[in-house]
Amino acid sequence: MEITYEFVRSVFDYDPEGFLVWKSSLNNQFAGKRAGGVDKNGYWYVQLTRFKKKVPAHRLIFLWHHGFMPKMVDHANRVRTDNRIENLRIIKI
């Protein structure tokens, strides 16, 4: 199953500080809270149980804004936790 623009928009709001906020959950315990956490490599990840995987937040944020998810998304300022949309860019390989 593919993560779609519609799914991301239905589950998350975007905070301009560069993070995703849960809109709601099955029991609403996470509604309004920042989604995800930092992994051992310093990237912010979000656990999507529906898809049975952790997804880098910067990729979800890019999808939330642009409607598609490229193969590679990079942080322009090289700060792995700075997921503000203006800091994210497509890397062509």
Side-chain angles (χ1 to χ4, degrees):
M1 187 180 323
E2 180 183 344
I3 301 169
T4 65
Y5 172 79
E6 292 77 17
F7 171 77
V8 172
R9 282 293 186 126
S10 72
V11 175
F12 301 109
D13 281 324
Y14 171 76
D15 183 290
E17 293 294 317
F19 57 89
L20 296 169
V21 176
W22 292 106
K23 282 189 176 180
S24 65
S25 64
L26 292 176
N27 59 11
N28 287 324
Q29 72 182 26
F30 298 116
K33 295 184 180 174
R34 189 173 182 174
V38 179
D39 75 348
K40 65 181 179 180
N41 296 315
Y43 288 98
W44 199 267
Y45 275 83
V46 177
Q47 180 69 42
L48 296 177
T49 53
R50 179 177 183 178
F51 297 93
K52 299 179 182 168
K53 62 180 164 181
K54 280 189 341 181
V55 182
H58 60 279
R59 294 180 56 75
L60 293 172
I61 289 169
F62 193 95
L63 174 61
W64 194 95
H65 281 276
H66 298 290
F68 70 98
M69 190 182 298
K71 290 187 182 211
M72 299 285 291
V73 177
D74 185 28
H75 297 84
N77 67 3
R78 303 286 190 224
V79 177
R80 294 176 178 179
T81 55
D82 185 354
N83 293 323
R84 293 171 297 128
I85 191 60
E86 59 270 16
N87 188 46
L88 303 179
R89 61 186 179 184
I90 298 173
I91 298 297
K92 296 184 183 187
I93 51 173

